[in-house]
Coordinates of all heavy atoms in Angstrom, one line a residue:
F81 N 26.9 -23.9 -63.8 CA 26.4 -24.3 -62.6 C 25.1 -23.7 -62.3 O 24.3 -24.2 -61.3 CB 27.4 -24.1 -61.4 CG 28.6 -25.1 -61.5 CD1 29.8 -24.6 -61.8 CD2 28.4 -26.4 -61.3 CE1 30.9 -25.4 -61.8 CE2 29.4 -27.3 -61.4 CZ 30.8 -26.8 -61.7
E82 N 24.8 -22.6 -62.9 CA 23.6 -21.9 -62.7 C 22.3 -22.9 -63.0 O 21.3 -22.9 -62.4 CB 23.4 -20.6 -63.5 CG 24.4 -19.7 -63.0 CD 24.5 -18.4 -64.0 OE1 23.6 -18.3 -64.9 OE2 25.4 -17.5 -63.8
Y83 N 22.6 -23.7 -64.1 CA 21.5 -24.6 -64.5 C 21.1 -25.6 -63.3 O 19.9 -25.8 -63.2 CB 22.1 -25.4 -65.8 CG 21.1 -26.5 -66.2 CD1 19.9 -26.2 -66.9 CD2 21.3 -27.9 -65.9 CE1 19.0 -27.1 -67.4 CE2 20.4 -28.9 -66.3 CZ 19.3 -28.5 -67.0 OH 18.4 -29.4 -67.4
F84 N 22.0 -26.1 -62.5 CA 21.8 -26.9 -61.5 C 21.2 -26.4 -60.3 O 20.7 -27.1 -59.4 CB 23.1 -27.8 -61.1 CG 23.5 -28.6 -62.3 CD1 24.6 -28.3 -62.9 CD2 22.8 -29.7 -62.7 CE1 25.1 -29.0 -64.1 CE2 23.2 -30.5 -63.7 CZ 24.3 -30.2 -64.5
E85 N 21.3 -25.0 -60.2 CA 20.8 -24.4 -59.0 C 19.2 -24.5 -58.9 O 18.6 -24.4 -57.8 CB 21.1 -22.9 -59.0 CG 22.5 -22.7 -58.7 CD 22.9 -21.2 -58.8 OE1 22.1 -20.3 -59.1 OE2 24.1 -20.9 -58.6
N86 N 18.6 -24.7 -60.0 CA 17.1 -24.8 -60.1 C 16.7 -26.2 -59.6 O 15.6 -26.4 -59.4 CB 16.7 -24.6 -61.5 CG 16.9 -23.2 -62.0 OD1 16.9 -22.3 -61.2 ND2 17.0 -23.1 -63.3
F87 N 17.6 -27.2 -59.4 CA 17.2 -28.5 -59.1 C 17.5 -28.8 -57.6 O 17.4 -30.0 -57.2 CB 18.0 -29.6 -59.9 CG 17.7 -29.4 -61.5 CD1 18.6 -29.1 -62.3 CD2 16.4 -29.7 -61.9 CE1 18.2 -29.0 -63.7 CE2 16.1 -29.7 -63.2 CZ 16.9 -29.3 -64.1
D88 N 17.8 -27.9 -56.8 CA 18.1 -28.2 -55.4 C 17.0 -28.5 -54.5 O 17.0 -28.9 -53.4 CB 18.8 -27.0 -54.8 CG 17.9 -25.7 -54.7 OD1 16.9 -25.6 -55.3 OD2 18.3 -24.7 -54.1
N89 N 15.7 -28.4 -55.1 CA 14.5 -28.8 -54.4 C 14.0 -30.2 -54.7 O 12.9 -30.5 -54.4 CB 13.4 -27.8 -54.7 CG 13.0 -27.8 -56.2 OD1 13.6 -28.5 -57.0 ND2 12.1 -27.0 -56.5
G90 N 14.9 -31.0 -55.3 CA 14.5 -32.4 -55.6 C 13.6 -32.6 -56.8 O 13.0 -33.7 -57.0
S91 N 13.8 -31.7 -57.7 CA 12.9 -31.8 -58.9 C 13.7 -32.4 -60.1 O 13.3 -32.2 -61.2 CB 12.4 -30.4 -59.3 OG 13.5 -29.6 -59.6
L92 N 14.8 -33.1 -59.8 CA 15.7 -33.7 -60.9 C 14.7 -34.8 -61.5 O 14.2 -35.7 -60.8 CB 16.9 -34.2 -60.3 CG 17.9 -33.3 -60.0 CD1 19.2 -34.0 -59.4 CD2 18.5 -32.5 -61.2
S93 N 14.6 -35.0 -62.8 CA 13.9 -35.9 -63.4 C 14.6 -37.3 -63.3 O 15.9 -37.3 -63.1 CB 13.6 -35.6 -64.9 OG 14.9 -35.7 -65.6
P94 N 13.9 -38.3 -63.2 CA 14.5 -39.7 -63.1 C 15.4 -39.9 -64.3 O 16.5 -40.7 -64.0 CB 13.3 -40.7 -63.1 CG 12.1 -39.8 -62.6 CD 12.4 -38.4 -63.1
S95 N 15.1 -39.5 -65.4 CA 16.0 -39.8 -66.5 C 17.4 -39.0 -66.4 O 18.4 -39.6 -66.7 CB 15.4 -39.4 -67.9 OG 15.0 -38.1 -67.9
F96 N 17.4 -37.9 -65.8 CA 18.5 -37.1 -65.7 C 19.4 -37.7 -64.5 O 20.5 -37.9 -64.6 CB 18.2 -35.7 -65.2 CG 19.5 -34.8 -65.0 CD1 20.2 -34.3 -66.0 CD2 19.9 -34.6 -63.6 CE1 21.3 -33.6 -65.8 CE2 21.0 -33.8 -63.4 CZ 21.7 -33.3 -64.5
Q97 N 18.7 -38.3 -63.5 CA 19.4 -39.0 -62.4 C 20.1 -40.2 -63.0 O 21.2 -40.6 -62.6 CB 18.5 -39.2 -61.2 CG 18.0 -38.1 -60.5 CD 17.0 -38.4 -59.5 OE1 16.5 -39.5 -59.4 NE2 16.5 -37.4 -58.7
L98 N 19.3 -40.9 -63.8 CA 19.9 -42.2 -64.4 C 21.1 -41.9 -65.3 O 22.2 -42.6 -65.2 CB 18.9 -42.9 -65.1 CG 19.3 -44.2 -65.8 CD1 19.7 -45.2 -64.7 CD2 18.1 -44.9 -66.6
A99 N 21.0 -40.8 -66.0 CA 22.1 -40.4 -66.9 C 23.3 -40.0 -66.1 O 24.4 -40.3 -66.5 CB 21.7 -39.2 -67.8
M100 N 23.1 -39.3 -65.0 CA 24.3 -39.0 -64.1 C 24.9 -40.2 -63.5 O 26.1 -40.4 -63.3 CB 23.9 -38.0 -63.0 CG 23.5 -36.6 -63.5 SD 24.8 -35.9 -64.5 CE 25.9 -35.4 -63.1
L101 N 24.1 -41.2 -63.2 CA 24.6 -42.4 -62.5 C 25.4 -43.2 -63.5 O 26.5 -43.6 -63.2 CB 23.5 -43.2 -61.9 CG 23.7 -44.6 -61.4 CD1 24.7 -44.5 -60.2 CD2 22.6 -45.4 -61.0
W102 N 24.8 -43.3 -64.7 CA 25.5 -44.0 -65.8 C 26.8 -43.3 -66.2 O 27.8 -44.0 -66.4 CB 24.6 -44.1 -67.0 CG 25.2 -44.7 -68.2 CD1 25.3 -46.1 -68.5 CD2 26.0 -44.2 -69.3 NE1 26.1 -46.3 -69.5 CE2 26.4 -45.3 -70.1 CE3 26.2 -42.7 -69.6 CZ2 27.3 -44.9 -71.2 CZ3 27.0 -42.6 -70.7 CH2 27.5 -43.6 -71.5
A103 N 26.8 -42.1 -66.3 CA 28.0 -41.3 -66.6 C 29.1 -41.5 -65.7 O 30.3 -41.7 -65.9 CB 27.7 -39.8 -66.8
S104 N 28.8 -41.6 -64.3 CA 29.8 -41.8 -63.3 C 30.4 -43.1 -63.4 O 31.6 -43.3 -63.2 CB 29.3 -41.4 -62.0 OG 28.2 -42.3 -61.5
V105 N 29.5 -44.1 -63.5 CA 30.1 -45.5 -63.6 C 30.7 -45.8 -65.0 O 31.7 -46.5 -65.1 CB 28.8 -46.6 -63.3 CG1 29.3 -47.9 -63.5 CG2 28.4 -46.3 -61.9
G106 N 30.0 -45.2 -66.0 CA 30.4 -45.5 -67.4 C 31.8 -45.0 -67.6 O 32.5 -45.4 -68.6
N107 N 32.3 -44.0 -66.9 CA 33.6 -43.4 -67.1 C 34.6 -44.0 -66.1 O 35.8 -44.1 -66.5 CB 33.5 -41.8 -67.0 CG 32.8 -41.3 -68.1 OD1 32.8 -41.7 -69.3 ND2 32.1 -40.2 -67.8
T108 N 34.2 -44.3 -65.0 CA 35.1 -44.8 -64.0 C 35.6 -46.3 -64.3 O 36.8 -46.4 -64.1 CB 34.4 -44.7 -62.6 OG1 34.0 -43.4 -62.4 CG2 35.4 -45.2 -61.5
M109 N 34.7 -47.0 -64.7 CA 35.1 -48.6 -64.8 C 36.2 -48.6 -66.0 O 37.2 -49.2 -65.8 CB 33.9 -49.4 -65.1 CG 33.1 -49.5 -63.8 SD 31.6 -50.6 -64.0 CE 32.0 -51.8 -62.8
P110 N 36.0 -48.0 -67.1 CA 37.1 -48.2 -68.2 C 38.3 -47.5 -67.8 O 39.5 -48.1 -68.2 CB 36.4 -47.4 -69.4 CG 34.9 -47.4 -69.2 CD 34.7 -47.5 -67.7
S111 N 38.2 -46.4 -67.2 CA 39.5 -45.7 -66.7 C 40.2 -46.6 -65.7 O 41.5 -46.8 -65.8 CB 39.1 -44.5 -66.0 OG 38.5 -43.5 -66.9
T112 N 39.5 -47.2 -64.8 CA 40.2 -48.2 -63.9 C 40.8 -49.4 -64.5 O 42.0 -49.8 -64.2 CB 39.2 -48.6 -62.8 OG1 38.6 -47.5 -62.2 CG2 39.8 -49.5 -61.7
F113 N 40.0 -49.9 -65.5 CA 40.6 -51.1 -66.2 C 41.8 -50.7 -66.9 O 42.9 -51.5 -66.9 CB 39.5 -51.6 -67.3 CG 40.1 -52.6 -68.3 CD1 40.2 -53.9 -67.9 CD2 40.5 -52.2 -69.6 CE1 40.7 -54.9 -68.7 CE2 41.1 -53.1 -70.4 CZ 41.2 -54.4 -69.9
W114 N 41.9 -49.6 -67.6 CA 43.2 -49.3 -68.4 C 44.3 -48.8 -67.6 O 45.4 -49.1 -67.8 CB 42.9 -48.0 -69.4 CG 41.8 -48.7 -70.6 CD1 40.7 -48.3 -70.9 CD2 42.4 -49.7 -71.5 NE1 40.2 -49.1 -72.0 CE2 41.3 -49.9 -72.4 CE3 43.6 -50.3 -71.8 CZ2 41.4 -50.7 -73.4 CZ3 43.6 -51.2 -72.8 CH2 42.6 -51.4 -73.6
L115 N 43.9 -48.3 -66.3 CA 45.0 -48.0 -65.3 C 45.6 -49.3 -64.9 O 46.9 -49.4 -64.9 CB 44.4 -47.2 -64.2 CG 45.5 -47.0 -63.1 CD1 46.5 -46.0 -63.4 CD2 44.7 -46.5 -61.8
I116 N 44.8 -50.3 -64.5 CA 45.4 -51.5 -64.0 C 46.0 -52.2 -65.2 O 47.3 -52.8 -64.9 CB 44.2 -52.4 -63.5 CG1 43.7 -51.8 -62.1 CG2 44.8 -53.9 -63.2 CD1 42.5 -52.4 -61.7
Y117 N 45.5 -52.2 -66.4 CA 46.2 -52.9 -67.5 C 47.6 -52.2 -67.8 O 48.7 -52.9 -67.9 CB 45.3 -52.6 -68.8 CG 46.0 -53.1 -70.2 CD1 46.0 -54.5 -70.3 CD2 46.6 -52.3 -71.0 CE1 46.5 -54.9 -71.5 CE2 47.2 -52.7 -72.1 CZ 47.1 -54.0 -72.4 OH 47.8 -54.5 -73.5
Y118 N 47.6 -50.9 -67.7 CA 48.8 -50.2 -68.0 C 49.9 -50.6 -66.9 O 51.1 -50.8 -67.1 CB 48.7 -48.7 -68.0 CG 50.0 -47.9 -68.1 CD1 50.5 -47.7 -69.5 CD2 50.6 -47.3 -67.2 CE1 51.6 -46.9 -69.7 CE2 51.8 -46.6 -67.4 CZ 52.2 -46.4 -68.6 OH 53.5 -45.7 -68.7
L119 N 49.5 -50.6 -65.7 CA 50.4 -50.8 -64.5 C 50.9 -52.3 -64.6 O 52.1 -52.5 -64.3 CB 49.8 -50.6 -63.2 CG 49.5 -49.2 -62.8 CD1 48.7 -49.1 -61.6 CD2 50.9 -48.4 -62.7
L120 N 50.1 -53.2 -65.0 CA 50.5 -54.6 -65.2 C 51.4 -54.8 -66.4 O 52.4 -55.7 -66.3 CB 49.3 -55.5 -65.3 CG 48.5 -55.6 -64.0 CD1 47.3 -56.5 -64.2 CD2 49.3 -56.3 -62.9
R121 N 51.2 -54.0 -67.4 CA 52.1 -54.1 -68.6 C 53.4 -53.5 -68.4 O 54.4 -53.8 -69.2 CB 51.3 -53.4 -69.8 CG 50.1 -54.3 -70.3 CD 50.5 -55.6 -71.0 NE 51.1 -55.1 -72.3 CZ 51.6 -56.0 -73.1 NH1 51.9 -57.3 -72.7 NH2 52.1 -55.7 -74.2
H122 N 53.5 -52.6 -67.5 CA 54.7 -51.8 -67.3 C 55.2 -51.8 -65.8 O 54.7 -51.0 -65.0 CB 54.5 -50.3 -67.6 CG 54.2 -50.0 -69.0 ND1 54.3 -50.9 -70.1 CD2 53.5 -49.0 -69.7 CE1 53.9 -50.5 -71.3 NE2 53.3 -49.3 -71.0
P123 N 55.9 -53.0 -65.4 CA 56.3 -53.2 -64.1 C 57.1 -52.0 -63.5 O 57.0 -51.8 -62.3 CB 57.2 -54.4 -64.1 CG 57.0 -55.0 -65.6 CD 56.4 -54.0 -66.3
E124 N 57.9 -51.3 -64.3 CA 58.5 -50.1 -63.7 C 57.6 -49.0 -63.2 O 57.9 -48.4 -62.1 CB 59.5 -49.6 -64.7 CG 58.9 -49.0 -65.9 CD 58.5 -49.8 -67.1 OE1 58.6 -51.1 -66.9 OE2 58.0 -49.3 -68.0
C125 N 56.5 -48.8 -63.8 CA 55.5 -47.9 -63.4 C 54.8 -48.3 -62.0 O 54.5 -47.6 -61.2 CB 54.5 -47.5 -64.5 SG 55.2 -46.6 -65.9
L126 N 54.5 -49.7 -62.1 CA 53.9 -50.3 -60.9 C 54.7 -50.2 -59.8 O 54.4 -49.8 -58.6 CB 53.5 -51.7 -61.2 CG 52.9 -52.4 -60.0 CD1 51.7 -51.8 -59.6 CD2 52.7 -53.9 -60.5
A127 N 56.1 -50.4 -59.9 CA 57.0 -50.3 -58.8 C 57.2 -48.8 -58.3 O 57.2 -48.6 -57.1 CB 58.4 -50.8 -59.2
K128 N 57.2 -47.9 -59.3 CA 57.1 -46.5 -58.8 C 55.9 -46.0 -58.0 O 56.1 -45.4 -57.1 CB 57.4 -45.6 -60.0 CG 57.6 -44.2 -59.7 CD 57.9 -43.5 -61.0 CE 58.3 -42.0 -60.7 NZ 58.6 -41.2 -61.8
A129 N 54.8 -46.5 -58.4 CA 53.5 -46.2 -57.8 C 53.5 -46.9 -56.5 O 53.1 -46.3 -55.5 CB 52.3 -46.7 -58.6
R130 N 53.9 -48.1 -56.3 CA 53.9 -48.9 -55.0 C 55.0 -48.0 -54.1 O 54.7 -48.0 -53.0 CB 54.5 -50.2 -55.2 CG 53.4 -51.2 -55.7 CD 53.8 -52.6 -55.7 NE 52.7 -53.5 -56.0 CZ 52.8 -54.7 -56.3 NH1 54.1 -55.2 -56.3 NH2 51.8 -55.5 -56.6
G131 N 56.1 -47.7 -54.5 CA 57.0 -47.0 -53.8 C 56.5 -45.7 -53.2 O 56.8 -45.4 -52.0
E132 N 55.7 -44.9 -54.1 CA 55.2 -43.8 -53.5 C 54.1 -44.0 -52.4 O 54.1 -43.3 -51.4 CB 54.6 -43.0 -54.7 CG 54.0 -41.6 -54.4 CD 53.4 -40.8 -55.5 OE1 53.9 -41.2 -56.7 OE2 52.5 -40.0 -55.3
I133 N 53.3 -45.0 -52.7 CA 52.3 -45.3 -51.6 C 53.0 -45.8 -50.4 O 52.5 -45.4 -49.3 CB 51.3 -46.4 -52.2 CG1 50.6 -45.8 -53.3 CG2 50.5 -46.8 -51.1 CD1 49.7 -46.8 -54.2
E134 N 54.0 -46.7 -50.4 CA 54.7 -47.0 -49.3 C 55.4 -46.0 -48.5 O 55.6 -46.1 -47.3 CB 55.7 -48.3 -49.7 CG 54.9 -49.5 -50.0 CD 55.9 -50.5 -50.6 OE1 57.2 -50.3 -50.8 OE2 55.5 -51.6 -50.9
Q135 N 55.9 -45.1 -49.2 CA 56.5 -43.9 -48.6 C 55.5 -43.1 -47.8 O 55.9 -42.6 -46.7 CB 57.1 -43.0 -49.7 CG 58.4 -42.4 -49.4 CD 58.8 -41.7 -50.7 OE1 58.1 -41.2 -51.5 NE2 60.2 -41.6 -50.8
V136 N 54.4 -42.9 -48.2 CA 53.3 -42.1 -47.6 C 52.6 -42.9 -46.4 O 52.4 -42.4 -45.4 CB 52.4 -41.5 -48.6 CG1 51.3 -40.8 -47.9 CG2 53.1 -40.6 -49.6
C137 N 52.2 -44.1 -46.8 CA 51.5 -44.9 -45.9 C 52.3 -46.0 -45.3 O 52.5 -47.0 -45.9 CB 50.3 -45.5 -46.5 SG 49.2 -44.3 -47.3
S138 N 52.8 -45.7 -44.0 CA 53.5 -46.7 -43.4 C 52.7 -47.9 -42.9 O 51.4 -47.7 -42.8 CB 54.3 -46.2 -42.2 OG 53.4 -45.7 -41.2
L139 N 53.3 -48.9 -42.4 CA 52.4 -50.1 -41.8 C 51.6 -49.6 -40.7 O 50.5 -50.0 -40.4 CB 53.2 -51.3 -41.7 CG 53.7 -52.1 -42.8 CD1 54.7 -53.2 -42.4 CD2 52.5 -52.6 -43.7
A140 N 52.1 -48.7 -39.9 CA 51.5 -48.2 -38.7 C 50.3 -47.5 -39.0 O 49.2 -47.5 -38.4 CB 52.5 -47.4 -37.8
E141 N 50.3 -46.7 -40.1 CA 49.2 -46.0 -40.5 C 48.1 -46.9 -41.0 O 46.9 -46.7 -40.7 CB 49.5 -44.9 -41.6 CG 50.2 -43.7 -41.0 CD 50.6 -42.9 -42.1 OE1 51.1 -43.1 -43.2 OE2 50.3 -41.6 -42.0
L142 N 48.5 -47.9 -41.8 CA 47.5 -48.8 -42.2 C 46.8 -49.7 -41.2 O 45.7 -50.1 -41.4 CB 48.2 -49.8 -43.3 CG 48.8 -49.1 -44.5 CD1 49.4 -50.1 -45.5 CD2 47.6 -48.5 -45.3
E143 N 47.5 -49.9 -40.1 CA 46.7 -50.6 -39.0 C 45.8 -49.6 -38.3 O 44.8 -50.1 -37.7 CB 47.8 -51.1 -38.0 CG 48.7 -52.1 -38.6 CD 49.8 -52.5 -37.6 OE1 50.0 -52.0 -36.5 OE2 50.5 -53.5 -37.9
G144 N 46.0 -48.3 -38.3 CA 45.1 -47.4 -37.7 C 44.3 -46.7 -38.8 O 43.8 -47.3 -39.8
E145 N 44.2 -45.4 -38.7 CA 43.4 -44.7 -39.7 C 44.4 -43.9 -40.7 O 45.4 -43.5 -40.2 CB 42.6 -43.5 -39.0 CG 41.2 -44.0 -38.5 CD 40.4 -42.9 -38.0 OE1 40.4 -41.8 -38.7 OE2 39.7 -43.2 -37.1
I146 N 44.0 -43.9 -41.9 CA 44.8 -43.1 -42.9 C 44.3 -41.6 -42.7 O 43.0 -41.5 -42.9 CB 44.7 -43.6 -44.3 CG1 45.3 -45.1 -44.3 CG2 45.3 -42.7 -45.2 CD1 45.1 -45.7 -45.6
T147 N 45.1 -40.7 -42.5 CA 44.7 -39.3 -42.3 C 44.6 -38.6 -43.7 O 45.1 -39.1 -44.7 CB 45.7 -38.6 -41.3 OG1 46.9 -38.6 -42.0 CG2 45.7 -39.3 -40.0
Q148 N 44.0 -37.4 -43.6 CA 43.9 -36.6 -44.8 C 45.3 -36.0 -45.2 O 45.6 -35.9 -46.3 CB 43.0 -35.5 -44.6 CG 42.8 -34.5 -45.8 CD 42.2 -35.2 -47.1 OE1 41.3 -36.1 -46.9 NE2 42.7 -34.9 -48.2
E149 N 46.1 -35.9 -44.1 CA 47.5 -35.4 -44.4 C 48.3 -36.4 -45.1 O 49.1 -36.0 -46.1 CB 48.2 -35.0 -43.0 CG 47.6 -33.8 -42.4 CD 47.3 -34.0 -40.9 OE1 47.7 -35.0 -40.4 OE2 46.8 -33.2 -40.3
S150 N 48.1 -37.6 -44.9 CA 48.9 -38.7 -45.5 C 48.4 -38.8 -46.9 O 49.2 -39.1 -47.9 CB 48.9 -40.0 -44.8 OG 47.6 -40.5 -44.8
L151 N 47.1 -38.6 -47.2 CA 46.6 -38.6 -48.6 C 47.0 -37.5 -49.3 O 47.2 -37.6 -50.5 CB 45.1 -38.7 -48.5 CG 44.5 -40.1 -48.0 CD1 43.0 -39.9 -47.8 CD2 44.8 -41.2 -48.8
D152 N 47.2 -36.3 -48.7 CA 47.6 -35.1 -49.5 C 49.0 -35.2 -50.0 O 49.4 -34.6 -50.9 CB 47.5 -33.8 -48.6 CG 46.0 -33.5 -48.3 OD1 45.2 -33.9 -49.2 OD2 45.8 -32.8 -47.3
K153 N 49.8 -36.1 -49.3 CA 51.2 -36.3 -49.7 C 51.3 -37.1 -51.0 O 52.4 -37.1 -51.6 CB 52.1 -37.1 -48.6 CG 52.2 -36.2 -47.3 CD 52.9 -37.2 -46.3 CE 52.9 -36.4 -44.9 NZ 53.6 -37.3 -43.9
L154 N 50.3 -37.9 -51.3 CA 50.4 -38.8 -52.5 C 50.5 -38.0 -53.8 O 50.0 -36.8 -53.9 CB 49.1 -39.6 -52.6 CG 49.1 -40.8 -51.6 CD1 47.8 -41.6 -51.7 CD2 50.2 -41.7 -51.9

């Protein structure tokens, strides 16, 4: 992290910024795709994930705000 301390004054090069943007999107999209693919191919895992989410986030919470405490329970 010492390397990045020198860039706090806005001196990041455009190519570095583009590389960071590409890396964040380039890794998130394939991971999300494979997660959804896995859940659709394995209904038992999808049911378990849904059950955990329903346990933590009741309908009352979904109508209002979801709190950090409810997210911490996941």
Side-chain angles (χ1 to χ4, degrees):
F81 292 109
E82 293 172 10
Y83 175 77
F84 295 110
E85 289 175 3
N86 297 330
F87 296 115
D88 63 352
N89 61 2
S91 64
L92 287 173
S93 70
S95 60
F96 181 77
Q97 292 175 355
L98 182 62
M100 292 301 289
L101 178 64
W102 178 84
S104 65
V105 173
N107 291 325
T108 303
M109 293 180 121
S111 299
T112 303
F113 170 81
W114 287 113
L115 172 69
I116 292 171
Y117 174 82
Y118 179 82
L119 289 173
L120 292 176
R121 293 283 292 165
H122 302 336
E124 67 279 359
C125 292
L126 179 59
K128 190 173 181 178
R130 280 186 176 166
E132 184 177 336
I133 292 169
E134 287 171 359
Q135 217 174 30
V136 173
C137 301
S138 67
L139 289 176
E141 286 178 309
L142 291 178
E143 291 173 359
E145 276 189 38
I146 296 176
T147 63
Q148 183 64 39
E149 291 132 6
S150 63
L151 293 176
D152 290 339
K153 293 178 190 175
L154 288 174

